[in-house]
Amino acid sequence: AWVNSLSMGMVFFCSPIVSIFTDLFGCRKVAVIGAAVGLAGLLSSSFVSTIEPLYFTYGILFACGCSFAYQPSLVILGHYFKKRLGLVNGIVTAGSSLFTVSLPFLLRVLLDSIGLYNTLRVLCILMFVLFLAGFTYKPLVSNAKDKEGGKKGKFRFPPGKKICNFSVFKVLSYRIWAFGIPAALFGYFVPYVHLMKHVKDRFGDSVPEEVLLLCLGITSGVGRLVFGRVADYIPGAKKVYLQVASFFFIGLMSMMIPLCHVFGGLIAVCLFMGLFDGCFICIMAPIAFELVGAQDVSQAIGFLLGLMSVPMTVGPPIAGLLRDHLGTYDVAFYLAGVPPLVGGAILCFIPWVHERQKLKERAKPLDGETTEKMLENESTLVSDPMEKPVREMESG
């Protein structure tokens, strides 16, 4: 469990570093190198015979490679799409739902037939496909840092302020978003980590728990496609309201898990949870583009994912400790529903704050233009009496 928790946390913990490398070297190089590192980590994990080395090979090396391959796949979409960015994110992220549905059954067959180590080697094929796909990331948006580099092929290391672009935190609406989402995620992933164990504790082996993963994966894919399309029709920062709704329903569904004493009730809960999980995931990049703009979106997403790593790593183990002390997951699921509700309430302020920021930005250029015109008028008034004698002398 700690290997999986470390791996999931490292994927997001590395994101700020990935965003810096993406700005410096581009999406293609970062994605290809990340996939290669992930492939090396997964392949080396297949030769490990004890659990201790897995903390490095799978929990750190494989996870860091996945992080370097994952984030450029979100950033590159903004180079190609603008009007339909939400739909495109939904289609791209729906791929993970497809594998969430299919992989549990495939892994069960592989583990029973060829064992764990050979299963990891088979999964290396997927990482190699990711390695090849990285070569297709050709940015279309000109990067300001490339222009500063001067001649093509000559790389100049930019100043520290531009490597770590903390200016995104000057945007108040982004600050609220970047701290509101991690606040919600302290309980967000608890059901995904502990639901299978809760089903075994309550129902034993009499029910097929893989069905719950199937429901989560299918409806998550549907949610990404549907809400990604819906997000394109919602103007500006008001897209955040979709995330507010997703946090509200996921928090409510988490609290309902202990109340389900029939397996059919858990299926219904997972269907709703997957639907709004897809909503939350598919509109992260479009919201980042709205709040900070295309030039700063890479590091904006990176900082957000880095902040998300803390609650993602801490939340599930705390729920596990509660289960060890209380003997049941009921309290853990009840408490897991509280942070998404609190985080959703915080995000409600973002559209209002963002609109006020836009009004201030619109007012600033007007003020600048009027002051410039006043200075021009003053200069002409001062220069006119001096120009007349000069013109007279020239005509004479």
PDB file of all heavy atoms in Angstrom, residues 147-184:
ATOM      1  N   LYS A 147      12.494  32.799 -28.119  1.00  0.00           N
ATOM      2  CA  LYS A 147      12.861  34.060 -28.763  1.00  0.00           C
ATOM      3  C   LYS A 147      14.038  34.709 -28.065  1.00  0.00           C
ATOM      4  O   LYS A 147      14.890  35.334 -28.685  1.00  0.00           O
ATOM      5  CB  LYS A 147      11.661  35.009 -28.758  1.00  0.00           C
ATOM      6  CG  LYS A 147      10.511  34.506 -29.613  1.00  0.00           C
ATOM      7  CD  LYS A 147       9.318  35.447 -29.508  1.00  0.00           C
ATOM      8  CE  LYS A 147       8.137  34.931 -30.309  1.00  0.00           C
ATOM      9  NZ  LYS A 147       6.959  35.793 -30.167  1.00  0.00           N
ATOM     10  N   GLU A 148      14.083  34.564 -26.722  1.00  0.00           N
ATOM     11  CA  GLU A 148      15.183  35.174 -25.987  1.00  0.00           C
ATOM     12  C   GLU A 148      16.486  34.433 -26.248  1.00  0.00           C
ATOM     13  O   GLU A 148      17.565  34.952 -26.058  1.00  0.00           O
ATOM     14  CB  GLU A 148      14.864  35.166 -24.485  1.00  0.00           C
ATOM     15  CG  GLU A 148      13.730  36.115 -24.124  1.00  0.00           C
ATOM     16  CD  GLU A 148      13.339  35.972 -22.665  1.00  0.00           C
ATOM     17  OE1 GLU A 148      14.006  35.193 -21.969  1.00  0.00           O
ATOM     18  OE2 GLU A 148      12.392  36.645 -22.245  1.00  0.00           O
ATOM     19  N   GLY A 149      16.378  33.168 -26.674  1.00  0.00           N
ATOM     20  CA  GLY A 149      17.579  32.379 -26.907  1.00  0.00           C
ATOM     21  C   GLY A 149      18.392  32.854 -28.081  1.00  0.00           C
ATOM     22  O   GLY A 149      19.527  32.445 -28.260  1.00  0.00           O
ATOM     23  N   GLY A 150      17.764  33.692 -28.943  1.00  0.00           N
ATOM     24  CA  GLY A 150      18.507  34.222 -30.087  1.00  0.00           C
ATOM     25  C   GLY A 150      18.500  33.266 -31.243  1.00  0.00           C
ATOM     26  O   GLY A 150      17.450  32.893 -31.753  1.00  0.00           O
ATOM     27  N   LYS A 151      19.666  32.832 -31.665  1.00  0.00           N
ATOM     28  CA  LYS A 151      19.780  31.987 -32.843  1.00  0.00           C
ATOM     29  C   LYS A 151      19.251  30.589 -32.558  1.00  0.00           C
ATOM     30  O   LYS A 151      19.281  30.111 -31.450  1.00  0.00           O
ATOM     31  CB  LYS A 151      21.248  31.896 -33.274  1.00  0.00           C
ATOM     32  CG  LYS A 151      21.842  33.238 -33.654  1.00  0.00           C
ATOM     33  CD  LYS A 151      23.293  33.063 -34.016  1.00  0.00           C
ATOM     34  CE  LYS A 151      23.925  34.404 -34.384  1.00  0.00           C
ATOM     35  NZ  LYS A 151      25.350  34.255 -34.697  1.00  0.00           N
ATOM     36  N   LYS A 152      18.780  29.944 -33.625  1.00  0.00           N
ATOM     37  CA  LYS A 152      18.279  28.586 -33.489  1.00  0.00           C
ATOM     38  C   LYS A 152      19.433  27.652 -33.159  1.00  0.00           C
ATOM     39  O   LYS A 152      20.520  27.758 -33.703  1.00  0.00           O
ATOM     40  CB  LYS A 152      17.598  28.128 -34.792  1.00  0.00           C
ATOM     41  CG  LYS A 152      16.295  28.848 -35.048  1.00  0.00           C
ATOM     42  CD  LYS A 152      15.626  28.295 -36.297  1.00  0.00           C
ATOM     43  CE  LYS A 152      14.303  28.978 -36.535  1.00  0.00           C
ATOM     44  NZ  LYS A 152      13.638  28.465 -37.760  1.00  0.00           N
ATOM     45  N   GLY A 153      19.133  26.708 -32.290  1.00  0.00           N
ATOM     46  CA  GLY A 153      20.140  25.749 -31.902  1.00  0.00           C
ATOM     47  C   GLY A 153      21.039  26.244 -30.793  1.00  0.00           C
ATOM     48  O   GLY A 153      21.849  25.497 -30.273  1.00  0.00           O
ATOM     49  N   LYS A 154      20.933  27.492 -30.421  1.00  0.00           N
ATOM     50  CA  LYS A 154      21.751  28.044 -29.346  1.00  0.00           C
ATOM     51  C   LYS A 154      20.879  28.228 -28.117  1.00  0.00           C
ATOM     52  O   LYS A 154      19.957  29.036 -28.113  1.00  0.00           O
ATOM     53  CB  LYS A 154      22.360  29.378 -29.781  1.00  0.00           C
ATOM     54  CG  LYS A 154      23.357  29.934 -28.764  1.00  0.00           C
ATOM     55  CD  LYS A 154      23.968  31.233 -29.281  1.00  0.00           C
ATOM     56  CE  LYS A 154      24.968  31.781 -28.267  1.00  0.00           C
ATOM     57  NZ  LYS A 154      25.546  33.052 -28.722  1.00  0.00           N
ATOM     58  N   PHE A 155      21.176  27.455 -27.079  1.00  0.00           N
ATOM     59  CA  PHE A 155      20.354  27.493 -25.866  1.00  0.00           C
ATOM     60  C   PHE A 155      21.012  28.396 -24.836  1.00  0.00           C
ATOM     61  O   PHE A 155      22.171  28.207 -24.477  1.00  0.00           O
ATOM     62  CB  PHE A 155      20.186  26.083 -25.294  1.00  0.00           C
ATOM     63  CG  PHE A 155      19.436  26.055 -23.999  1.00  0.00           C
ATOM     64  CD1 PHE A 155      18.072  26.249 -23.966  1.00  0.00           C
ATOM     65  CD2 PHE A 155      20.113  25.861 -22.796  1.00  0.00           C
ATOM     66  CE1 PHE A 155      17.377  26.225 -22.777  1.00  0.00           C
ATOM     67  CE2 PHE A 155      19.426  25.838 -21.608  1.00  0.00           C
ATOM     68  CZ  PHE A 155      18.055  26.015 -21.598  1.00  0.00           C
ATOM     69  N   ARG A 156      20.250  29.388 -24.404  1.00  0.00           N
ATOM     70  CA  ARG A 156      20.700  30.263 -23.321  1.00  0.00           C
ATOM     71  C   ARG A 156      19.866  29.988 -22.091  1.00  0.00           C
ATOM     72  O   ARG A 156      18.651  29.990 -22.165  1.00  0.00           O
ATOM     73  CB  ARG A 156      20.550  31.732 -23.722  1.00  0.00           C
ATOM     74  CG  ARG A 156      21.535  32.177 -24.781  1.00  0.00           C
ATOM     75  CD  ARG A 156      21.362  33.664 -25.040  1.00  0.00           C
ATOM     76  NE  ARG A 156      22.248  34.134 -26.095  1.00  0.00           N
ATOM     77  CZ  ARG A 156      22.263  35.384 -26.537  1.00  0.00           C
ATOM     78  NH1 ARG A 156      21.422  36.279 -26.015  1.00  0.00           N
ATOM     79  NH2 ARG A 156      23.096  35.744 -27.480  1.00  0.00           N
ATOM     80  N   PHE A 157      20.550  29.756 -20.987  1.00  0.00           N
ATOM     81  CA  PHE A 157      19.818  29.448 -19.758  1.00  0.00           C
ATOM     82  C   PHE A 157      19.146  30.723 -19.261  1.00  0.00           C
ATOM     83  O   PHE A 157      19.811  31.716 -18.990  1.00  0.00           O
ATOM     84  CB  PHE A 157      20.786  28.914 -18.700  1.00  0.00           C
ATOM     85  CG  PHE A 157      20.125  27.965 -17.747  1.00  0.00           C
ATOM     86  CD1 PHE A 157      19.839  26.679 -18.159  1.00  0.00           C
ATOM     87  CD2 PHE A 157      19.784  28.371 -16.475  1.00  0.00           C
ATOM     88  CE1 PHE A 157      19.227  25.798 -17.302  1.00  0.00           C
ATOM     89  CE2 PHE A 157      19.173  27.500 -15.616  1.00  0.00           C
ATOM     90  CZ  PHE A 157      18.897  26.197 -16.021  1.00  0.00           C
ATOM     91  N   PRO A 158      17.828  30.719 -19.142  1.00  0.00           N
ATOM     92  CA  PRO A 158      17.119  31.933 -18.744  1.00  0.00           C
ATOM     93  C   PRO A 158      17.340  32.261 -17.277  1.00  0.00           C
ATOM     94  O   PRO A 158      17.776  31.413 -16.493  1.00  0.00           O
ATOM     95  CB  PRO A 158      15.644  31.580 -19.005  1.00  0.00           C
ATOM     96  CG  PRO A 158      15.604  30.100 -18.937  1.00  0.00           C
ATOM     97  CD  PRO A 158      16.925  29.607 -19.412  1.00  0.00           C
ATOM     98  N   PRO A 159      17.044  33.491 -16.866  1.00  0.00           N
ATOM     99  CA  PRO A 159      17.207  33.863 -15.458  1.00  0.00           C
ATOM    100  C   PRO A 159      16.283  33.071 -14.549  1.00  0.00           C
ATOM    101  O   PRO A 159      15.275  32.521 -14.978  1.00  0.00           O
ATOM    102  CB  PRO A 159      16.854  35.353 -15.439  1.00  0.00           C
ATOM    103  CG  PRO A 159      16.074  35.581 -16.682  1.00  0.00           C
ATOM    104  CD  PRO A 159      16.570  34.602 -17.690  1.00  0.00           C
ATOM    105  N   GLY A 160      16.640  33.063 -13.247  1.00  0.00           N
ATOM    106  CA  GLY A 160      15.904  32.252 -12.277  1.00  0.00           C
ATOM    107  C   GLY A 160      14.444  32.604 -12.163  1.00  0.00           C
ATOM    108  O   GLY A 160      13.595  31.744 -11.946  1.00  0.00           O
ATOM    109  N   LYS A 161      14.101  33.880 -12.329  1.00  0.00           N
ATOM    110  CA  LYS A 161      12.698  34.298 -12.207  1.00  0.00           C
ATOM    111  C   LYS A 161      11.838  33.673 -13.295  1.00  0.00           C
ATOM    112  O   LYS A 161      10.645  33.449 -13.101  1.00  0.00           O
ATOM    113  CB  LYS A 161      12.608  35.829 -12.291  1.00  0.00           C
ATOM    114  CG  LYS A 161      13.151  36.531 -11.058  1.00  0.00           C
ATOM    115  CD  LYS A 161      12.985  38.033 -11.184  1.00  0.00           C
ATOM    116  CE  LYS A 161      13.540  38.744  -9.954  1.00  0.00           C
ATOM    117  NZ  LYS A 161      13.400  40.208 -10.062  1.00  0.00           N
ATOM    118  N   LYS A 162      12.440  33.407 -14.456  1.00  0.00           N
ATOM    119  CA  LYS A 162      11.675  32.844 -15.551  1.00  0.00           C
ATOM    120  C   LYS A 162      11.700  31.316 -15.528  1.00  0.00           C
ATOM    121  O   LYS A 162      10.883  30.672 -16.170  1.00  0.00           O
ATOM    122  CB  LYS A 162      12.199  33.370 -16.881  1.00  0.00           C
ATOM    123  CG  LYS A 162      11.941  34.857 -17.040  1.00  0.00           C
ATOM    124  CD  LYS A 162      12.284  35.356 -18.422  1.00  0.00           C
ATOM    125  CE  LYS A 162      11.965  36.841 -18.544  1.00  0.00           C
ATOM    126  NZ  LYS A 162      12.283  37.375 -19.873  1.00  0.00           N
ATOM    127  N   ILE A 163      12.668  30.733 -14.807  1.00  0.00           N
ATOM    128  CA  ILE A 163      12.666  29.276 -14.652  1.00  0.00           C
ATOM    129  C   ILE A 163      11.539  28.870 -13.713  1.00  0.00           C
ATOM    130  O   ILE A 163      10.725  28.012 -14.022  1.00  0.00           O
ATOM    131  CB  ILE A 163      14.031  28.793 -14.122  1.00  0.00           C
ATOM    132  CG1 ILE A 163      15.112  29.068 -15.157  1.00  0.00           C
ATOM    133  CG2 ILE A 163      13.981  27.317 -13.790  1.00  0.00           C
ATOM    134  CD1 ILE A 163      16.497  28.735 -14.690  1.00  0.00           C
ATOM    135  N   CYS A 164      11.494  29.482 -12.540  1.00  0.00           N
ATOM    136  CA  CYS A 164      10.398  29.248 -11.591  1.00  0.00           C
ATOM    137  C   CYS A 164       9.446  30.440 -11.680  1.00  0.00           C
ATOM    138  O   CYS A 164       9.700  31.492 -11.081  1.00  0.00           O
ATOM    139  CB  CYS A 164      10.924  29.091 -10.163  1.00  0.00           C
ATOM    140  SG  CYS A 164      11.907  27.617  -9.926  1.00  0.00           S
ATOM    141  N   ASN A 165       8.388  30.279 -12.417  1.00  0.00           N
ATOM    142  CA  ASN A 165       7.479  31.379 -12.710  1.00  0.00           C
ATOM    143  C   ASN A 165       6.434  31.514 -11.589  1.00  0.00           C
ATOM    144  O   ASN A 165       5.270  31.134 -11.760  1.00  0.00           O
ATOM    145  CB  ASN A 165       6.799  31.147 -14.059  1.00  0.00           C
ATOM    146  CG  ASN A 165       5.959  32.324 -14.488  1.00  0.00           C
ATOM    147  OD1 ASN A 165       6.071  33.417 -13.936  1.00  0.00           O
ATOM    148  ND2 ASN A 165       5.109  32.112 -15.468  1.00  0.00           N
ATOM    149  N   PHE A 166       6.885  32.063 -10.457  1.00  0.00           N
ATOM    150  CA  PHE A 166       5.972  32.234  -9.329  1.00  0.00           C
ATOM    151  C   PHE A 166       5.002  33.391  -9.545  1.00  0.00           C
ATOM    152  O   PHE A 166       4.163  33.656  -8.685  1.00  0.00           O
ATOM    153  CB  PHE A 166       6.768  32.474  -8.038  1.00  0.00           C
ATOM    154  CG  PHE A 166       7.518  31.259  -7.570  1.00  0.00           C
ATOM    155  CD1 PHE A 166       8.895  31.207  -7.652  1.00  0.00           C
ATOM    156  CD2 PHE A 166       6.846  30.159  -7.053  1.00  0.00           C
ATOM    157  CE1 PHE A 166       9.604  30.089  -7.231  1.00  0.00           C
ATOM    158  CE2 PHE A 166       7.535  29.036  -6.631  1.00  0.00           C
ATOM    159  CZ  PHE A 166       8.917  28.995  -6.723  1.00  0.00           C
ATOM    160  N   SER A 167       5.109  34.071 -10.684  1.00  0.00           N
ATOM    161  CA  SER A 167       4.201  35.185 -10.958  1.00  0.00           C
ATOM    162  C   SER A 167       2.752  34.719 -11.087  1.00  0.00           C
ATOM    163  O   SER A 167       1.823  35.517 -10.940  1.00  0.00           O
ATOM    164  CB  SER A 167       4.619  35.927 -12.221  1.00  0.00           C
ATOM    165  OG  SER A 167       4.545  35.072 -13.350  1.00  0.00           O
ATOM    166  N   VAL A 168       2.539  33.411 -11.371  1.00  0.00           N
ATOM    167  CA  VAL A 168       1.159  32.917 -11.470  1.00  0.00           C
ATOM    168  C   VAL A 168       0.430  33.053 -10.139  1.00  0.00           C
ATOM    169  O   VAL A 168      -0.795  33.186 -10.095  1.00  0.00           O
ATOM    170  CB  VAL A 168       1.128  31.447 -11.952  1.00  0.00           C
ATOM    171  CG1 VAL A 168       1.617  31.336 -13.373  1.00  0.00           C
ATOM    172  CG2 VAL A 168       1.919  30.546 -11.022  1.00  0.00           C
ATOM    173  N   PHE A 169       1.190  33.053  -9.031  1.00  0.00           N
ATOM    174  CA  PHE A 169       0.564  33.180  -7.713  1.00  0.00           C
ATOM    175  C   PHE A 169       0.155  34.620  -7.411  1.00  0.00           C
ATOM    176  O   PHE A 169      -0.514  34.863  -6.408  1.00  0.00           O
ATOM    177  CB  PHE A 169       1.503  32.660  -6.623  1.00  0.00           C
ATOM    178  CG  PHE A 169       1.612  31.161  -6.605  1.00  0.00           C
ATOM    179  CD1 PHE A 169       2.695  30.525  -7.174  1.00  0.00           C
ATOM    180  CD2 PHE A 169       0.621  30.388  -6.025  1.00  0.00           C
ATOM    181  CE1 PHE A 169       2.802  29.144  -7.171  1.00  0.00           C
ATOM    182  CE2 PHE A 169       0.711  29.000  -6.012  1.00  0.00           C
ATOM    183  CZ  PHE A 169       1.807  28.384  -6.584  1.00  0.00           C
ATOM    184  N   LYS A 170       0.573  35.560  -8.273  1.00  0.00           N
ATOM    185  CA  LYS A 170       0.082  36.932  -8.122  1.00  0.00           C
ATOM    186  C   LYS A 170      -1.374  37.055  -8.555  1.00  0.00           C
ATOM    187  O   LYS A 170      -2.056  37.999  -8.179  1.00  0.00           O
ATOM    188  CB  LYS A 170       0.951  37.893  -8.937  1.00  0.00           C
ATOM    189  CG  LYS A 170       2.378  38.008  -8.427  1.00  0.00           C
ATOM    190  CD  LYS A 170       3.181  38.964  -9.294  1.00  0.00           C
ATOM    191  CE  LYS A 170       4.623  39.075  -8.802  1.00  0.00           C
ATOM    192  NZ  LYS A 170       5.424  39.977  -9.659  1.00  0.00           N
ATOM    193  N   VAL A 171      -1.838  36.101  -9.347  1.00  0.00           N
ATOM    194  CA  VAL A 171      -3.236  36.078  -9.781  1.00  0.00           C
ATOM    195  C   VAL A 171      -4.073  35.502  -8.645  1.00  0.00           C
ATOM    196  O   VAL A 171      -3.946  34.319  -8.300  1.00  0.00           O
ATOM    197  CB  VAL A 171      -3.405  35.243 -11.062  1.00  0.00           C
ATOM    198  CG1 VAL A 171      -4.859  35.249 -11.526  1.00  0.00           C
ATOM    199  CG2 VAL A 171      -2.476  35.746 -12.152  1.00  0.00           C
ATOM    200  N   LEU A 172      -4.911  36.338  -8.039  1.00  0.00           N
ATOM    201  CA  LEU A 172      -5.666  35.921  -6.856  1.00  0.00           C
ATOM    202  C   LEU A 172      -6.586  34.748  -7.144  1.00  0.00           C
ATOM    203  O   LEU A 172      -6.693  33.813  -6.335  1.00  0.00           O
ATOM    204  CB  LEU A 172      -6.474  37.104  -6.319  1.00  0.00           C
ATOM    205  CG  LEU A 172      -7.328  36.842  -5.067  1.00  0.00           C
ATOM    206  CD1 LEU A 172      -6.473  36.337  -3.918  1.00  0.00           C
ATOM    207  CD2 LEU A 172      -8.097  38.095  -4.671  1.00  0.00           C
ATOM    208  N   SER A 173      -7.247  34.759  -8.288  1.00  0.00           N
ATOM    209  CA  SER A 173      -8.163  33.660  -8.612  1.00  0.00           C
ATOM    210  C   SER A 173      -7.408  32.341  -8.741  1.00  0.00           C
ATOM    211  O   SER A 173      -7.916  31.282  -8.335  1.00  0.00           O
ATOM    212  CB  SER A 173      -8.918  33.963  -9.902  1.00  0.00           C
ATOM    213  OG  SER A 173      -8.018  34.224 -10.961  1.00  0.00           O
ATOM    214  N   TYR A 174      -6.170  32.382  -9.273  1.00  0.00           N
ATOM    215  CA  TYR A 174      -5.377  31.159  -9.358  1.00  0.00           C
ATOM    216  C   TYR A 174      -4.949  30.688  -7.969  1.00  0.00           C
ATOM    217  O   TYR A 174      -4.935  29.483  -7.696  1.00  0.00           O
ATOM    218  CB  TYR A 174      -4.145  31.374 -10.240  1.00  0.00           C
ATOM    219  CG  TYR A 174      -3.219  30.175 -10.235  1.00  0.00           C
ATOM    220  CD1 TYR A 174      -3.530  29.045 -10.989  1.00  0.00           C
ATOM    221  CD2 TYR A 174      -2.058  30.158  -9.461  1.00  0.00           C
ATOM    222  CE1 TYR A 174      -2.701  27.937 -10.974  1.00  0.00           C
ATOM    223  CE2 TYR A 174      -1.228  29.049  -9.445  1.00  0.00           C
ATOM    224  CZ  TYR A 174      -1.549  27.939 -10.197  1.00  0.00           C
ATOM    225  OH  TYR A 174      -0.732  26.839 -10.168  1.00  0.00           O
ATOM    226  N   ARG A 175      -4.606  31.635  -7.089  1.00  0.00           N
ATOM    227  CA  ARG A 175      -4.217  31.251  -5.729  1.00  0.00           C
ATOM    228  C   ARG A 175      -5.349  30.513  -5.023  1.00  0.00           C
ATOM    229  O   ARG A 175      -5.126  29.501  -4.352  1.00  0.00           O
ATOM    230  CB  ARG A 175      -3.816  32.485  -4.912  1.00  0.00           C
ATOM    231  CG  ARG A 175      -2.475  33.055  -5.245  1.00  0.00           C
ATOM    232  CD  ARG A 175      -1.880  33.820  -4.066  1.00  0.00           C
ATOM    233  NE  ARG A 175      -2.741  34.868  -3.573  1.00  0.00           N
ATOM    234  CZ  ARG A 175      -2.753  36.111  -3.998  1.00  0.00           C
ATOM    235  NH1 ARG A 175      -1.953  36.466  -5.006  1.00  0.00           N
ATOM    236  NH2 ARG A 175      -3.552  37.006  -3.457  1.00  0.00           N
ATOM    237  N   ILE A 176      -6.558  31.034  -5.158  1.00  0.00           N
ATOM    238  CA  ILE A 176      -7.707  30.371  -4.529  1.00  0.00           C
ATOM    239  C   ILE A 176      -7.883  28.975  -5.114  1.00  0.00           C
ATOM    240  O   ILE A 176      -8.134  28.000  -4.380  1.00  0.00           O
ATOM    241  CB  ILE A 176      -8.986  31.212  -4.727  1.00  0.00           C
ATOM    242  CG1 ILE A 176      -8.824  32.576  -4.059  1.00  0.00           C
ATOM    243  CG2 ILE A 176     -10.202  30.489  -4.170  1.00  0.00           C
ATOM    244  CD1 ILE A 176      -9.954  33.543  -4.375  1.00  0.00           C
ATOM    245  N   TRP A 177      -7.740  28.868  -6.418  1.00  0.00           N
ATOM    246  CA  TRP A 177      -7.907  27.578  -7.091  1.00  0.00           C
ATOM    247  C   TRP A 177      -6.815  26.595  -6.690  1.00  0.00           C
ATOM    248  O   TRP A 177      -7.083  25.422  -6.418  1.00  0.00           O
ATOM    249  CB  TRP A 177      -7.879  27.814  -8.600  1.00  0.00           C
ATOM    250  CG  TRP A 177      -8.271  26.643  -9.443  1.00  0.00           C
ATOM    251  CD1 TRP A 177      -9.455  25.964  -9.408  1.00  0.00           C
ATOM    252  CD2 TRP A 177      -7.491  26.032 -10.476  1.00  0.00           C
ATOM    253  NE1 TRP A 177      -9.459  24.964 -10.358  1.00  0.00           N
ATOM    254  CE2 TRP A 177      -8.272  24.990 -11.028  1.00  0.00           C
ATOM    255  CE3 TRP A 177      -6.220  26.269 -10.994  1.00  0.00           C
ATOM    256  CZ2 TRP A 177      -7.810  24.179 -12.056  1.00  0.00           C
ATOM    257  CZ3 TRP A 177      -5.774  25.471 -12.034  1.00  0.00           C
ATOM    258  CH2 TRP A 177      -6.558  24.442 -12.550  1.00  0.00           C
ATOM    259  N   ALA A 178      -5.564  27.090  -6.609  1.00  0.00           N
ATOM    260  CA  ALA A 178      -4.424  26.217  -6.327  1.00  0.00           C
ATOM    261  C   ALA A 178      -4.423  25.708  -4.893  1.00  0.00           C
ATOM    262  O   ALA A 178      -3.814  24.662  -4.615  1.00  0.00           O
ATOM    263  CB  ALA A 178      -3.110  26.966  -6.603  1.00  0.00           C
ATOM    264  N   PHE A 179      -5.063  26.407  -3.968  1.00  0.00           N
ATOM    265  CA  PHE A 179      -5.122  25.940  -2.580  1.00  0.00           C
ATOM    266  C   PHE A 179      -6.482  25.336  -2.233  1.00  0.00           C
ATOM    267  O   PHE A 179      -6.589  24.545  -1.299  1.00  0.00           O
ATOM    268  CB  PHE A 179      -4.798  27.090  -1.624  1.00  0.00           C
ATOM    269  CG  PHE A 179      -3.362  27.528  -1.686  1.00  0.00           C
ATOM    270  CD1 PHE A 179      -2.991  28.687  -2.356  1.00  0.00           C
ATOM    271  CD2 PHE A 179      -2.367  26.769  -1.097  1.00  0.00           C
ATOM    272  CE1 PHE A 179      -1.672  29.089  -2.435  1.00  0.00           C
ATOM    273  CE2 PHE A 179      -1.038  27.157  -1.172  1.00  0.00           C
ATOM    274  CZ  PHE A 179      -0.688  28.319  -1.831  1.00  0.00           C
ATOM    275  N   GLY A 180      -7.525  25.686  -2.996  1.00  0.00           N
ATOM    276  CA  GLY A 180      -8.843  25.116  -2.742  1.00  0.00           C
ATOM    277  C   GLY A 180      -8.937  23.666  -3.177  1.00  0.00           C
ATOM    278  O   GLY A 180      -9.532  22.831  -2.477  1.00  0.00           O
ATOM    279  N   ILE A 181      -8.341  23.342  -4.320  1.00  0.00           N
ATOM    280  CA  ILE A 181      -8.394  21.962  -4.813  1.00  0.00           C
ATOM    281  C   ILE A 181      -7.627  21.005  -3.898  1.00  0.00           C
ATOM    282  O   ILE A 181      -8.166  19.951  -3.525  1.00  0.00           O
ATOM    283  CB  ILE A 181      -7.892  21.898  -6.265  1.00  0.00           C
ATOM    284  CG1 ILE A 181      -8.950  22.482  -7.193  1.00  0.00           C
ATOM    285  CG2 ILE A 181      -7.570  20.462  -6.686  1.00  0.00           C
ATOM    286  CD1 ILE A 181      -8.608  22.440  -8.647  1.00  0.00           C
ATOM    287  N   PRO A 182      -6.379  21.300  -3.475  1.00  0.00           N
ATOM    288  CA  PRO A 182      -5.729  20.387  -2.524  1.00  0.00           C
ATOM    289  C   PRO A 182      -6.504  20.228  -1.216  1.00  0.00           C
ATOM    290  O   PRO A 182      -6.513  19.143  -0.631  1.00  0.00           O
ATOM    291  CB  PRO A 182      -4.369  21.062  -2.277  1.00  0.00           C
ATOM    292  CG  PRO A 182      -4.103  21.825  -3.516  1.00  0.00           C
ATOM    293  CD  PRO A 182      -5.438  22.329  -3.959  1.00  0.00           C
ATOM    294  N   ALA A 183      -7.168  21.298  -0.778  1.00  0.00           N
ATOM    295  CA  ALA A 183      -7.980  21.174   0.434  1.00  0.00           C
ATOM    296  C   ALA A 183      -9.100  20.152   0.245  1.00  0.00           C
ATOM    297  O   ALA A 183      -9.441  19.400   1.166  1.00  0.00           O
ATOM    298  CB  ALA A 183      -8.568  22.536   0.810  1.00  0.00           C
ATOM    299  N   ALA A 184      -9.662  20.103  -0.958  1.00  0.00           N
ATOM    300  CA  ALA A 184     -10.738  19.148  -1.238  1.00  0.00           C
ATOM    301  C   ALA A 184     -10.219  17.725  -1.381  1.00  0.00           C
ATOM    302  O   ALA A 184     -10.943  16.758  -1.123  1.00  0.00           O
ATOM    303  CB  ALA A 184     -11.477  19.566  -2.503  1.00  0.00           C
TER     304      ALA A 184
END
